[in-house]
């Protein structure tokens, strides 16, 4: 069994495992710590204190926590954050002067104060060598420009999603999942881009959350617009309730009248949905 401490870093919802510097030390939730990562020395926040997990759950050797954050460390973090607006303003101004087709979306100072990372989006590759020279001359630090995708932009900036909550990508999702049109179809959602897209303009990440359930239920439900047999005669499916497993069916009577009735799916006879038709296969390959 391995003893671990869960730690998060700024602008990420992913929890990283580190070994305690001292097994007798108590690491309380929300305590600041200083750790060494692939990016260098960083400041993080404890998500959960020491616990044990099987060695098989570790993908790589754990690095130990360097120390609990001191008052000086906390001051350094706050000072770095105060410098961000000035750095953003200067960089945005130079991007405009150099006529670079890129959108600056954020920046951060390395904890040790030796590097600034600027994040930007762009439609293609950007030659920002001249920009790097200008920024390095201004700040006298190592400059890193990192191009990110449109989903990463929303993750960095955050925002309120259509559901009224903070965007999942910036609050609770450790990694982006694969989201497809097929998932929206499984849930019986109208394929209106404005209804199934997040702030980034791509399919909402939450479509993936309950997809396993809906994918299984979809196979059991009749197709909307499809013909079905009911205890009261043949009809056409108008809508499906995927949670209650009930279908609303329009039944045409011999006198020309029409009746709308709800039937449990197990009382209907119909041709079972295939998991994917050819159009679904094409849409399913379009990862968002």
């Amino acid at each position: 069994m391995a003893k671990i401490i869960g730690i998060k870093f700024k602008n990420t919802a992913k929890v990283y495992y580190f070994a305690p510097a001292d097994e007798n030390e108590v690491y309380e939730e929300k305590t600041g710590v200083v750790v060494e990562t692939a990016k260098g020395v960083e400041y993080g926040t404890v998500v959960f204190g020491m616990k044990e997990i099987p060695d098989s759950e570790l993908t790589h050797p754990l690095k130990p926590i360097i120390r609990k954050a001191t008052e000086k460390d906390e001051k350094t973090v706050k000072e770095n954050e105060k410098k961000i607006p000035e750095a953003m303003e200067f960089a945005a101004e130079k991007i405009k002067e150099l006529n670079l087709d890129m959108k600056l979306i954020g920046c951060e100072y390395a904890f040790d104060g030796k590097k600034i990372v600027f994040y930007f989006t762009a439609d293609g590759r950007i030659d920002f060598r001249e920009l790097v020279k200008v920024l390095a001359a201004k700040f006298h630090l190592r400059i890193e420009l990192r191009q990110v995708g449109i989903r990463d932009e929303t993750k960095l900036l955050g925002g309120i999603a259509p559901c009224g909550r903070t965007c999942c990508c910036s609050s609770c999702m450790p990694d982006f999942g694969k989201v497809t049109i097929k998932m929206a179809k499984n849930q019986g959602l109208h394929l209106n881009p404005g209804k199934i897209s997040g702030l980034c303009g791509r399919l909402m990440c939450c479509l993936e959350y309950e997809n396993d359930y809906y994918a299984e239920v979809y196979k059991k439900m009749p197709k909307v617009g499809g013909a079905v047999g009911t205890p009261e005669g043949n009809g056409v499916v108008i809508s499906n309730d995927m949670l209650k497993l009930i279908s609303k069916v329009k039944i045409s009577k011999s006198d020309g009248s029409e009746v709308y009735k709800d039937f449990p799916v197990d009382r209907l006879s119909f041709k079972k949905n295939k998991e994917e038709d050819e159009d679904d296969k094409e849409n399913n390959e379009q990862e968002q």
Side-chain angles (χ1 to χ4, degrees):
M1 301 290 283
K3 294 182 178 180
I4 63 168
I5 306 292
I7 294 174
K8 279 186 179 181
F9 300 99
K10 185 181 177 182
N11 296 328
T12 178
K14 189 171 183 176
V15 178
Y16 294 86
Y17 296 161
F18 286 83
D22 182 349
E23 294 186 0
N24 296 320
E25 183 117 41
V26 177
Y27 294 88
E28 296 181 354
E29 187 177 341
K30 296 184 180 179
T31 299
V33 292
V34 177
V35 297
E36 184 178 357
T37 70
K39 299 179 182 178
V41 177
E42 292 191 76
Y43 173 91
T45 305
V46 174
V47 178
F48 59 79
M50 192 179 339
K51 71 176 185 178
E52 294 186 346
I53 63 171
D55 292 331
S56 58
E57 293 186 16
L58 299 177
T59 56
H60 52 77
L62 292 176
K63 289 187 176 182
I65 293 173
I66 297 175
R67 64 178 181 273
K68 284 186 178 180
T70 62
E71 289 186 12
K72 183 179 179 181
D73 294 329
E74 299 286 356
K75 184 178 180 181
T76 297
V77 172
K78 291 178 181 179
E79 288 178 348
N80 286 342
E81 290 179 349
K82 289 180 181 178
K83 298 175 185 176
I84 290 176
E86 180 187 353
M88 287 285 290
E89 183 179 355
F90 181 82
E93 180 183 326
K94 294 306 173 183
I95 288 173
K96 186 175 181 179
E97 288 181 8
L98 294 171
N99 197 28
L100 296 175
D101 189 16
M102 56 192 286
K103 178 184 176 183
L104 185 67
I105 61 172
C107 84
E108 62 178 347
Y109 279 76
F111 174 72
D112 58 12
K114 297 180 180 179
K115 178 178 71 174
I116 310 179
V117 181
F118 291 91
Y119 299 94
F120 72 94
T121 58
D123 292 332
R125 294 180 63 86
I126 302 294
D127 184 357
F128 47 69
R129 288 175 292 183
E130 188 61 31
L131 176 62
V132 170
K133 292 178 183 178
V134 173
L135 295 176
K138 167 66 176 178
F139 299 107
H140 304 289
L141 298 171
R142 186 157 66 90
I143 303 297
E144 180 179 333
L145 271 77
R146 190 174 300 171
Q147 184 171 356
V148 299
I150 190 169
R151 297 177 83 189
D152 297 288
E153 177 181 359
T154 302
K155 183 173 183 176
L156 285 168
L157 298 179
I160 304 300
C163 63
R165 298 171 64 93
T166 303
C167 292
C168 295
C169 60
S170 64
S171 61
C172 61
M173 279 180 55
D175 297 296
F176 288 116
K178 180 178 180 181
V179 189
T180 64
I181 288 292
K182 177 65 177 176
M183 293 178 181
K185 288 185 176 181
N186 286 345
Q187 297 178 39
L189 301 176
H190 294 292
L191 303 183
N192 180 338
K195 298 293 186 181
I196 60 177
S197 300
L199 298 185
C200 60
R202 301 294 181 89
L203 291 174
M204 292 188 293
C205 296
C206 56
L207 292 176
E208 178 194 15
Y209 295 167
E210 298 176 347
N211 183 62
D212 289 345
Y213 168 81
Y214 283 104
E216 192 60 33
V217 170
Y218 178 79
K219 301 174 189 177
K220 302 175 182 178
M221 303 293 290
K223 187 175 182 180
V224 174
V228 294
T230 79
E232 300 181 20
N234 294 332
V236 177
V237 178
I238 302 302
S239 64
N240 288 319
D241 188 321
M242 306 290 279
L243 296 177
K244 295 181 179 179
L245 298 181
I246 290 175
S247 296
K248 183 178 290 293
V249 181
K250 180 179 73 174
I251 301 174
S252 299
K253 298 293 186 179
S254 56
D255 60 2
S257 63
E258 295 179 341
V259 177
Y260 293 82
K261 293 199 69 174
D262 292 340
F263 293 94
V265 68
D266 58 5
R267 297 188 65 194
L268 302 176
S269 58
F270 56 92
K271 184 178 179 181
K272 298 291 184 181
N273 281 323
K274 293 182 180 180
E275 186 172 357
E276 289 183 344
D277 57 27
E278 291 302 318
D279 291 335
D280 286 338
K281 287 182 179 179
E282 182 177 350
N283 289 327
N284 201 25
E285 292 171 357
Q286 298 176 3
E287 182 179 349
Q288 302 296 313

